[in-house]
Structure formats: structure tokens, C-alpha cells
Amino acid sequence: MNALTYWVGMAGTAAFAVTAVLAVAPRGIDFFGVTVLGIITAIGGGTIRDIILGVPVFWASDLAYIWVALAASLATFAANSLFTRKEIYRLMLYLDGLGASLFAIAATDKVWALDFGRPLAPVILGIITAIGGGLIRDVLAGRQTLLMTREIYAIPISFGCALYVALLAFAPEYRSLGAATAIVLIFALRAAAIHWNLTVPDRLASKPKEG
Amino acid sequence: MNALTYWVGMAGTAAFAVTAVLAVAPRGIDFFGVTVLGIITAIGGGTIRDIILGVPVFWASDLAYIWVALAASLATFAANSLFTRKEIYRLMLYLDGLGASLFAIAATDKVWALDFGRPLAPVILGIITAIGGGLIRDVLAGRQTLLMTREIYAIPISFGCALYVALLAFAPEYRSLGAATAIVLIFALRAAAIHWNLTVPDRLASKPKEG
Amino acid sequence: MNALTYWVGMAGTAAFAVTAVLAVAPRGIDFFGVTVLGIITAIGGGTIRDIILGVPVFWASDLAYIWVALAASLATFAANSLFTRKEIYRLMLYLDGLGASLFAIAATDKVWALDFGRPLAPVILGIITAIGGGLIRDVLAGRQTLLMTREIYAIPISFGCALYVALLAFAPEYRSLGAATAIVLIFALRAAAIHWNLTVPDRLASKPKEG
């Protein structure tokens, strides 16, 4: 992994922890709970991916991911009023989206390179890497998970990972360019969803039963 | 695994996904959430089993399980009114029960053959294989899990797996016959529970506290 | 592991199962659900630890942990009125706290010895070992998890594990003495919290949003 990817990954890790803390803080939880949920959100998805792959978890050999998540969680807890300021919060949402794009494509690339369950597993594990940590956080915090909302978060990721897999299969010589394009594409869709508050339209969802 | 078992397994996988989608659809969730929950229900239990065993996850070498779960989830989402028709829904419940019986005994057999934690682990991992995916689905969907209901689903499975383990321990020469018998037995009990709407009686449950 | 540690571990395993059953019993669940939740609480944390470490799960080679959890769960279910008697319940809370202290430090020691992700991973996996099973139980039972309460349970554990890691790093010659001291320290803090009903003060928690 080159230096740019590494640093974007660290910024994404921090953003995952920050948005996690901001999501659970309104419930009034203590610094321990906040930190655990921040770290789980930041590294949970990649941990599930590595366990399913049967390879050592990524953070065991580079604890920087956990230190960053820990520091970001505590900072957000301590300076909550700073991070809930509208412009900072928006910045964090975008960084979170950028991190998710990067982690998803990096995971798809890793799984493909391991020749693990091609072509479906690289897509599935790309998605899990990006959203798995947030799912665990919501379950532990008793919140509704992403799957039950109409948020446009995982759909661009699925789309981008599938596209990247098609490229790896049919035009592997464009791997670097393709990865960059997929990341930009996912992020652009997510950014549009944040900017215009887009959600999945009713006709692409099941009809809720009248309560 | 012989051909019959394989095809019953695929039908069971599809039925797991269909019943999962029907269970969560009344909450009004989008096609992405539906598909993820369908796939997780179909392959989640076997995935946990393989992770605990420390062996490669079963679907990495045969993606047909995931393709079937994906197709079944999307078909159920698209043709919801077909699958909620009483006779189709019933058929799916029975197929789901048959799949669970088969997966449980196949898992018990696999764990026993690996000589892993005999005699208790083959029973436990048989149960996890059959119900693990549904538990994850319910947790992610914010539904009450099977463990908190009085449904007669996991109890016949536990009973059948324990019986099959006793047979493997004391009369291993009847392995094939025993496996078939255990599957039929579990399925018969589950089918009876479906047919007569049986639930676990009060005296076998803890006394709920007055709210 | 010497004999004393082993037997304290078994008592702790039983106490984990007993307190788990007492926590979920007021919801009126059947003997199967009770047993599954009791066993998961008792062995879930250590199982997650071993999966993350990539080593065989601890109970596969010593099923006594599961037999004890199974027996304790069924006994608590059957003799619920005995275990809810104030003095017995208190005893179980203390035993549960002692078990958690022991499991946490034993896990930290194991992870450190494997040279896995020092210095952070031994602390994190110590915490996961102690509280992971209870978290899974609460999620499956639809209860609020420990992370969302202000209970003083995991904080002394984190503190004790971090202290023990510092000792392993800077004064490894005092390993046995240090482990014993850390266990006693964690237990003393937990016992104080039980005795005086202490919770995390408001100023160490995020401000809940007005509902």
C-alpha cells in the first residue's frame, strides 16, 4: 500500500470513530462505552473480513489503526460540542464516506489477490469491511442498523466493488486506475446522498405493514 | 456429499433466504437490506461453524450457496405477493425446516469426523449451523430472536443432533442410516410444530415477571 | 495453569452462566433459550478472543467449561427461586466479578505470551474475554448491553489489564505476583461497585439528549 492510501486510510479510521461516537453520544453513555463503540466501528468490518478469510487480523501487525480510533473516540467524547458543529460534522460525514470507499475497494482487491471465492466473495467482503463495524456498533448500542434504514451508504459500495471485480476479471492491466476510479465513483455517489439528503425510493423497498 | 443431499441443501438454502425475506419485509426495507439479510440467514450459521472449527468457510469453495440465496432473496422481494400466498408460504416453512434438519446433521457429522470437541461440540455446532444465520438476521433487523420465543425449532434439532452423536459413538456402522433417520426425525417434529402451531409449554419456560 | 486458577475459573464459568440465566429469566423464556444464553455468556468472550488470535477455541480441548455452564444454566433454571434469594444472588455477583477478573488477566497473559499486537491487543482481548459473552447474551436477548449502562464492570477490568501489561513490559520478573495483584485489584473495585451500588458519574458520560 502506498503512502497516500495509508494516510487516507488513517483519516477514514478516525472519521469512522468520530461519526460512531457522535451517533451514540446522545444516549448518554460513559467514556468506556464510547471508546469501545468507536474502536469497534473503526476496525470491526476489517476484522470480520480477516476472520472469514482465515488470515491474521490487520490491526495485529499495525496497531496505529486502533491508536487512531482510540484517540479519535476520546477526542470526540471530550470535545463533543466541537464535533457537533455543523461544518465539522459535515466534514466528518464526507471523510467517513471516503474511508468507506477506500476500505471497500482495498478489501475487494485483497480478497481477489488471495483468489478467495472469486468473483462473489471479493464483493461481499468489500461490503462487510465498509459496513460491518457500523453494524456491530448499532447492535451493541441498541440502534436501528443501516440495513433497516433507507440510507444510501452500502448501495454505492456494492456497485463500486462489483464494478471493480469486473475490471479485475476482464481488464486486470488497469488495476490501479480502476481502483482509483471505483473509489472516486463510490465516494461521489455517497457525497451526493449526503449533500442532497437522498434516500432509497419507496419503489425499491418492501411495503411496510400498517402498524 | 451425494447428489441428493446437495440438492436438498440448495433447496434448504433457498428456503432459508425466502423465509428470511418474508420475516423482514413487513418492516419496509430496501432491496439491499433484504438481500443482505437473506444471504446472512442462509449461510450465517455454517460460516460461524467453520470459523469456530478453524476451517475455510464452506461457501468460499462453492459459491452456489450464495448465488442461490441471492437469487431467492431478490425473487422473494420482487414477487412478495406470490410468496406470501398461504400455500407457498407453508411450503417454504416446511422446506426451511427440512433444510435446517439437513444442515444440522451434516454439521454434526462434519464436526465429529474432524474429532473436534467430541461429544459436545458436534451437537453445539450442529445447532449453531441450523439457527445461527437466523439469529444474526433477527439481531440486525431488530427483531426478537428465536431464543426469546417459544417456537419449537431448535429443540428438535438439539435432540436429533444429540441422538446422532450417540449413534456415532456407539454404533458407527449405522452412520448413513442414522443420519437419514435423525434428519427425518427432526423434520417430523418441526413439521408437527408447524402443522399444529405447537409452542413450548409454560412449565418448560421461566416465569415472566409482571410488567 | 495451576490447579487453583483452574478451579476458580470453573467457579467463574458457573457464575457467568448463573447470572446470565437470572438476567434473562424474567422475560419468560424456555429451557432451551436459557441454556444457550447461559453457555454463550460463559464461553463467548474467550471464543471471540481465540478466533481473533487465530488459535483453536479453548473449550474444544477441555469441554468441562461447557459442561459446567450447561449444568449451571439448567440448575438455575430449575431452582430459580433458590438463586434469586438475596444472599445467593449476591454471592453469584461476587463470583461473577471474580471470574471476570481472572479471565481478563489470564487472557492478557495468553495474548502477551503469543506476542500478539503488543501492547494494545493484550488489553483489548482481556476486556473482550471478560465481557464479550455478556454482550452477545444481551444482544440475543434484546436487552440493553453493558456498554450502554453506567455499570462499573468493564472499567476496572480495562484498568487492571493495562496495569498488568505495563508490568509485563517493564518488570516481567514479577509476572506471577503481578497477575495475582491485578486480579485482586480488579475484583476489589468490582466488589466495591457491587457493595455500594456505584455507577459511573455523569461527568464521565456524554450528555443524554432530551427525549
Side-chain angles (χ1 to χ4, degrees):
Chain A
M1 216 192 295
N2 64 44
L4 176 66
T5 319
Y6 187 78
W7 290 106
V8 175
M10 283 298 159
T13 300
F16 269 38
V18 171
T19 54
V21 172
L22 295 179
V24 298
R27 310 216 162 190
I29 63 176
D30 66 42
F31 69 98
F32 177 80
V34 158
T35 312
V36 169
L37 292 170
I39 294 176
I40 284 177
T41 306
I43 66 163
T47 302
I48 303 176
R49 174 201 62 212
D50 290 341
I51 287 172
I52 289 179
L53 287 174
V55 302
V57 293
F58 69 100
W59 44 267
S61 54
D62 185 357
L63 290 173
Y65 291 98
I66 300 188
W67 286 117
V68 164
L70 176 64
S73 302
L74 288 175
T76 313
F77 177 74
N80 197 268
S81 55
L82 172 68
F83 287 96
T84 48
R85 277 172 56 186
K86 200 165 175 260
E87 59 274 35
I88 305 278
Y89 181 61
R90 286 252 136 181
L91 174 65
M92 287 300 142
L93 276 188
Y94 286 108
L95 267 182
D96 173 295
L98 184 56
S101 315
L102 178 74
F103 296 150
I105 296 300
T108 297
D109 191 76
K110 176 180 181 172
V111 178
W112 182 272
L114 288 170
D115 196 3
F116 182 95
R118 289 184 191 170
L120 215 42
V123 177
I124 291 176
L125 293 171
I127 300 169
I128 288 177
T129 303
I131 71 170
L135 293 180
I136 305 176
R137 172 200 63 210
D138 290 338
V139 163
L140 289 174
R143 299 174 80 230
Q144 197 175 40
T145 65
L146 180 63
L147 301 176
M148 307 305 285
T149 69
R150 301 279 186 79
E151 214 176 321
I152 297 185
Y153 191 107
I155 293 171
I157 289 169
S158 318
F159 185 63
C161 291
L163 217 72
Y164 184 54
V165 156
L167 181 126
L168 288 172
F170 298 114
E173 64 274 25
Y174 296 110
R175 189 182 149 199
S176 303
L177 181 66
T181 310
I183 291 170
V184 169
L185 181 73
I186 297 173
F187 179 60
L189 292 170
R190 174 65 185 150
I194 296 172
H195 188 74
W196 287 292
N197 281 308
L198 306 176
T199 55
V200 178
D202 276 354
R203 68 173 184 285
L204 295 175
S206 61
K207 225 170 71 182
K209 216 169 169 173
E210 306 293 321
Chain B
M1 215 192 296
N2 65 44
L4 176 66
T5 318
Y6 187 78
W7 289 107
V8 175
M10 283 299 159
T13 300
F16 269 37
V18 171
T19 53
V21 172
L22 296 178
V24 298
R27 310 215 163 191
I29 63 175
D30 65 42
F31 69 98
F32 177 79
V34 158
T35 312
V36 169
L37 292 170
I39 294 176
I40 284 178
T41 307
I43 66 163
T47 303
I48 303 176
R49 174 202 61 212
D50 291 341
I51 288 171
I52 289 179
L53 286 174
V55 303
V57 293
F58 69 100
W59 46 267
S61 54
D62 185 358
L63 290 173
Y65 292 98
I66 300 188
W67 287 118
V68 164
L70 176 64
S73 302
L74 288 175
T76 312
F77 176 73
N80 196 268
S81 55
L82 172 67
F83 287 97
T84 48
R85 276 173 55 184
K86 200 165 175 259
E87 60 274 34
I88 304 279
Y89 181 61
R90 285 252 138 183
L91 175 64
M92 287 300 142
L93 275 189
Y94 286 108
L95 267 182
D96 174 293
L98 184 58
S101 314
L102 179 73
F103 296 149
I105 296 300
T108 297
D109 191 76
K110 176 180 181 171
V111 179
W112 182 272
L114 289 170
D115 196 3
F116 183 95
R118 288 185 191 170
L120 214 42
V123 176
I124 291 176
L125 292 172
I127 300 170
I128 287 177
T129 304
I131 70 169
L135 293 180
I136 304 175
R137 173 200 63 208
D138 290 338
V139 163
L140 289 175
R143 299 173 78 231
Q144 196 174 40
T145 65
L146 180 64
L147 300 176
M148 306 306 284
T149 68
R150 300 279 187 81
E151 215 176 319
I152 297 185
Y153 191 108
I155 294 171
I157 289 169
S158 317
F159 186 62
C161 291
L163 217 72
Y164 183 54
V165 156
L167 180 124
L168 287 172
F170 299 114
E173 63 275 23
Y174 296 111
R175 189 183 149 198
S176 303
L177 181 67
T181 309
I183 292 170
V184 169
L185 180 73
I186 296 173
F187 179 61
L189 291 170
R190 174 64 186 150
I194 296 173
H195 188 73
W196 287 291
N197 281 309
L198 306 177
T199 54
V200 179
D202 276 353
R203 70 175 181 284
L204 294 175
S206 62
K207 223 169 72 182
K209 215 170 170 171
E210 305 294 321
Chain C
M1 215 192 295
N2 65 43
L4 177 65
T5 318
Y6 188 77
W7 290 106
V8 176
M10 284 298 159
T13 301
F16 269 38
V18 171
T19 53
V21 172
L22 295 179
V24 299
R27 309 216 162 191
I29 64 176
D30 65 41
F31 69 99
F32 177 80
V34 157
T35 312
V36 169
L37 292 170
I39 294 176
I40 284 177
T41 307
I43 67 164
T47 302
I48 303 176
R49 175 201 60 212
D50 291 341
I51 287 171
I52 289 178
L53 287 174
V55 302
V57 293
F58 70 100
W59 45 267
S61 54
D62 185 356
L63 290 173
Y65 291 98
I66 299 188
W67 287 117
V68 164
L70 177 64
S73 302
L74 289 174
T76 312
F77 177 74
N80 196 268
S81 56
L82 172 67
F83 287 96
T84 48
R85 276 172 56 187
K86 200 165 175 260
E87 60 274 34
I88 305 279
Y89 181 61
R90 285 251 137 184
L91 175 64
M92 287 300 143
L93 276 188
Y94 286 108
L95 267 181
D96 174 294
L98 184 57
S101 315
L102 178 74
F103 296 148
I105 295 300
T108 297
D109 191 75
K110 176 179 180 172
V111 178
W112 182 272
L114 288 170
D115 196 3
F116 183 95
R118 288 185 192 171
L120 215 43
V123 176
I124 290 177
L125 293 171
I127 299 170
I128 288 177
T129 303
I131 70 169
L135 292 180
I136 304 176
R137 172 200 64 210
D138 290 339
V139 163
L140 289 174
R143 299 173 79 231
Q144 196 174 41
T145 65
L146 180 63
L147 301 176
M148 307 305 285
T149 68
R150 301 280 186 78
E151 214 174 320
I152 297 186
Y153 192 108
I155 293 171
I157 290 169
S158 318
F159 185 63
C161 291
L163 217 71
Y164 184 54
V165 157
L167 180 125
L168 288 172
F170 299 113
E173 64 274 25
Y174 296 111
R175 189 183 149 197
S176 303
L177 181 66
T181 309
I183 292 170
V184 169
L185 180 73
I186 297 173
F187 179 60
L189 291 171
R190 174 64 186 152
I194 296 172
H195 188 73
W196 287 292
N197 282 307
L198 306 177
T199 54
V200 178
D202 277 353
R203 69 174 182 285
L204 295 175
S206 62
K207 223 169 71 183
K209 215 168 169 174
E210 306 294 322

